[in-house]
């Protein structure tokens, strides 16, 4: 049920976001400013949006890389512990067997 709720929440959020973008575009089209001013403003906002998206993507890549490194280190530590436990079990069986 939690996954359904999360999926529904993301759909609602995306609909809200698309509505906000559409509303902003309509508002710009109906402003009394000139086409040159509108294009300049839209270009500036598009550039800012690209910069934010690029920064967010970079942070996401860095986060994934850190998580990958932590998981690899944990697996390496866990793998060594498992091997020691198996060796100890085999030795214990051989001593009592």
């Amino acid at each position: 049920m939690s996954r359904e709720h999360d999926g529904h929440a993301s759909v609602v959020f995306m609909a809200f976001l698309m509505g906000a973008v559409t509303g902003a575009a309509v508002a710009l089209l109906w402003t009394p400013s000139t086409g040159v001013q509108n294009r300049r403003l839209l270009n500036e906002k598009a550039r800012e949006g690209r910069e934010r998206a690029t920064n967010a993507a970079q942070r996401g890549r860095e986060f994934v890389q850190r998580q990958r490194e932590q998981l690899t280190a944990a697996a390496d530590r866990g793998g060594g512990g498992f091997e020691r436990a198996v060796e100890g079990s085999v030795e214990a069986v051989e001593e009592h067997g």
Side-chain angles (χ1 to χ4, degrees):
M1 171 135 169
S2 177
R3 289 185 186 180
E4 279 183 33
H5 179 69
D6 291 343
H8 181 67
S10 64
V11 169
V12 169
F13 177 73
M14 287 303 295
F16 172 77
L17 187 60
M18 291 303 294
V21 169
T22 302
V26 169
L28 280 173
L29 293 174
W30 286 94
T31 60
S33 58
T34 66
V36 172
Q37 291 172 329
N38 283 340
R39 283 191 296 277
R40 186 177 298 134
L41 180 61
L42 287 172
N43 286 332
E44 181 181 320
K45 295 300 179 184
R47 182 183 50 77
E48 289 174 6
R50 279 191 305 269
E51 289 174 1
R52 287 181 183 170
T54 300
N55 290 338
Q58 180 62 34
R59 286 192 309 268
R61 284 190 294 273
E62 291 169 357
F63 175 78
V64 167
Q65 182 61 33
R66 283 193 307 270
Q67 295 304 312
R68 182 179 296 139
E69 290 169 359
Q70 289 177 356
L71 287 172
T72 300
D76 290 344
R77 287 192 306 267
F82 176 75
E83 290 170 1
R84 286 191 300 274
V86 168
E87 290 171 2
S89 296
V90 169
E91 291 172 2
V93 168
E94 288 174 351
E95 289 177 8
H96 295 291

